[in-house]
Amino acid sequence: MEIFKYMETYDYEQMVICQDKQSGLKAIICIHDTTLGPALGGTRMWTYDSEDAAIEDALRLARGMTYKNAAAGLNLGGGKTVIIGDPKKDKNEEMFRAFGRYIQGLNGRYITAEDVGTTVEDMDLIYQETPFVTGVSPAFGSSGNPSPVTAYGVYRGMKAAAMEAFGTDSLEGKVIAVQGVGHVAYTLCKHLHEEGASLIVTDINKEAVQRAVEDFGAKAVDIDDIYSVDCDIFAPCALGAIINDDTISKIKAKVIAGAANNQLKETRHGDALHEMGIVYAPDYVINAGGVINVADELNGYNRERAIKKVETIYDNIASVIEISKRDNIPTYLAADRLAEERIERMRKSRSQFLLNERHILSSRTR
Ligand SMILES: NC(=O)C1=CN([C@@H]2O[C@H](COP(=O)(O)OP(=O)(O)OC[C@H]3O[C@@H](n4cnc5c(N)ncnc54)[C@H](O)[C@@H]3O)[C@@H](O)[C@H]2O)C=CC1
Ligand SMILES: CC(C)CC(=O)C(=O)O
């Protein structure tokens, strides 16, 4: 992969390759843009097919965080880490402590949290080495696992998208196909079940499927069948790039609203959804609940305040749909414009000079 060319194309700031032989740590920290503030984004641990695949994932996810944090109204930039390894077999205490020291070395330019393959326990280990980590145990005064809050935000955003497609935001009686029933989707299914929706689920993890079948009366289908099932709403809650050339024509849902990051393989797939009349709730707008929740830790965590902000995801999805209709553009593009315009406005307003303690002139003003 031509890393500098890619970074230049999308204007990335920094990539840090971290290696620790003793613990087996192989991590890529990627900082996309810090115009709005320090880059906040989770750490994913995954078995990648190649180093290039891991680097590309880190880059794509970091950029997604810039847009997510901007669209959510947070004063935070975008970054992400991927750790190459199997989260079931390759983790150890030294690995997360070593990773914590790398984060500390960035001196606050990057703040981490959970993502696929990492847990609150891992964040607690990182916290031994650096304060620049969120989603740490409530015992430390932090917010803990962000997944249930992400799920609540997705639920709220799904209702806003349903309002557009069905003229009501009630999900009672709706058939909802959920891809992946991991941390976020399990709680999402709980909300949907409680509202009276019927669930169809799939997962590569058979136990996760069984749990959803038992707890919510969900119907289980094979991995590849989830796209083509008869349903009202499709909720991708596993990994990215699942809306692609192979899957898009199979989708029967009128709404796509789920937690997974980077759902569109390419932007042209978002254009296609628009042409097909499918209401697509842009991934980084609808799944911002987790980051809104962990970001609240930076002000001294207050759950009530965090949840109130997460509820605005309903309005954010509604605004994106409004812009999409007004300008006849796909929803992903409407969301991108909202985020980019905010970053641009802040970039300009920051150009006003402000003397601070570290400035070369500061000694003259003491
Ligand atoms: N945890 C959080 O707070 C947030 C998560 N997200 C995104 O939401 C998605 C889900 O996150 P989590 O629930 O935390 O992860 P998770 O790892 O707990 O759940 C993902 C589930 O998807 C399953 N899966 C993987 N590949 C699959 C496939 N090809 N078909 C069907 N199932 C498959 C896994 O077995 C797992 O059960 C990820 O894309 C993540 O980046 C986004 C924002 C916040
Ligand atoms: C705290 C995490 C949930 C943030 C993140 O990495 C994400 O939203 O994808």
Side-chain angles (χ1 to χ4, degrees):
M1 162 175 210
E2 290 184 87
I3 296 178
F4 278 114
K5 194 168 167 202
Y6 190 99
M7 288 180 78
E8 194 182 344
T9 304
Y10 298 105
D11 209 6
Y12 285 82
E13 292 181 11
Q14 189 175 10
M15 187 189 286
V16 185
I17 309 281
C18 316
Q19 190 281 136
D20 181 63
K21 195 171 166 186
Q22 168 69 24
S23 64
L25 175 74
K26 290 186 176 57
I28 301 145
I29 302 173
C30 187
I31 297 176
H32 175 244
D33 188 291
T34 57
T35 305
L36 296 181
L40 196 160
T43 294
R44 176 171 294 191
M45 186 164 181
W46 195 250
T47 48
Y48 290 92
D49 290 340
S50 65
E51 288 179 6
D52 270 5
I55 290 170
E56 198 177 331
D57 206 28
L59 285 160
R60 270 168 63 88
L61 289 164
R63 184 161 168 260
M65 290 308 301
T66 298
Y67 283 77
K68 185 180 309 194
N69 293 339
L74 299 171
N75 293 321
L76 291 164
K80 200 94 172 188
T81 299
V82 306
I83 296 180
I84 301 174
D86 184 339
K88 291 208 181 81
K89 293 199 299 233
D90 298 335
K91 284 183 184 177
N92 56 63
E93 178 180 356
E94 311 88 274
M95 174 182 282
F96 285 93
R97 297 280 295 263
F99 176 47
R101 291 191 292 277
Y102 277 106
I103 295 175
Q104 179 63 18
L106 288 165
N107 200 26
R109 275 176 53 69
Y110 170 68
I111 303 167
T112 200
E114 293 86 346
D115 191 57
V116 175
T118 58
T119 62
V120 175
E121 291 71 36
D122 302 329
M123 299 307 121
D124 287 353
L125 291 172
I126 295 170
Y127 188 58
Q128 305 302 308
E129 303 285 349
T130 180
F132 302 120
V133 52
T134 55
V136 174
S137 285
F140 294 108
S142 301
S143 65
N145 179 5
S147 306
V149 188
T150 302
Y152 182 58
V154 173
Y155 167 66
R156 296 282 307 161
M158 186 184 283
K159 285 173 90 62
M163 188 68 182
E164 174 62 20
F166 309 116
T168 166
D169 69 3
S170 168
L171 300 174
E172 193 180 355
K174 293 281 177 289
V175 179
I176 303 175
V178 183
Q179 181 182 47
V181 263
H183 290 105
V184 176
Y186 179 81
T187 309
L188 174 65
C189 287
K190 189 162 183 287
H191 289 300
L192 300 175
H193 177 63
E194 282 169 2
E195 192 164 326
S198 301
L199 301 172
I200 302 174
V201 300
T202 195
D203 198 297
I204 49 174
N205 177 346
K206 297 284 165 262
E207 284 163 25
V209 170
Q210 197 48 35
R211 198 160 70 125
V213 169
E214 281 167 18
D215 294 357
F216 310 123
K219 179 182 164 199
V221 295
D222 285 345
I223 298 289
D224 293 333
D225 293 342
I226 197 74
Y227 302 101
S228 54
V229 292
D230 270 319
C231 64
D232 300 298
I233 300 173
F234 173 43
C237 296
L239 298 181
I242 49 82
I243 299 170
N244 56 47
D245 289 344
D246 296 332
T247 61
I248 203 160
S249 59
K250 297 183 189 165
I251 296 170
K252 299 200 180 100
K254 294 206 160 43
V255 170
I256 299 179
N261 280 309
N262 296 335
Q263 292 170 26
L264 303 174
K265 182 158 191 210
E266 293 170 38
T267 52
R268 67 186 170 84
H269 297 114
D271 300 334
L273 292 178
H274 183 64
E275 279 156 26
M276 291 160 79
I278 294 175
V279 180
Y280 168 63
D283 45 17
Y284 65 75
V285 181
I286 197 170
N287 73 13
V291 77
I292 291 171
N293 193 50
V294 299
D296 197 81
E297 286 181 27
L298 306 173
N299 304 311
Y301 185 59
N302 178 316
R303 186 170 168 85
E304 205 181 317
R305 179 177 60 202
I307 297 295
K308 252 196 189 140
K309 189 154 172 63
V310 170
E311 290 187 339
T312 64
I313 289 176
Y314 186 108
D315 310 306
N316 296 345
I317 292 290
S319 300
V320 163
I321 292 172
E322 249 345 279
I323 296 171
S324 151
K325 284 200 298 187
R326 187 194 66 201
D327 299 346
N328 191 23
I329 54 171
T331 50
Y332 83 85
L333 200 55
D336 282 3
R337 283 192 190 165
L338 266 183
E340 282 163 4
E341 282 168 12
R342 176 162 183 249
I343 293 168
E344 222 24 64
R345 281 198 307 274
M346 293 311 290
R347 204 191 303 275
K348 281 186 186 140
S349 89
R350 282 205 166 185
S351 68
Q352 295 162 324
F353 174 72
L354 177 66
L355 184 66
N356 68 33
E357 277 179 4
R358 294 211 178 84
H359 196 274
I360 194 164
L361 293 176
S362 61
S363 61
R364 293 173 181 237
T365 57
R366 276 194 208 119

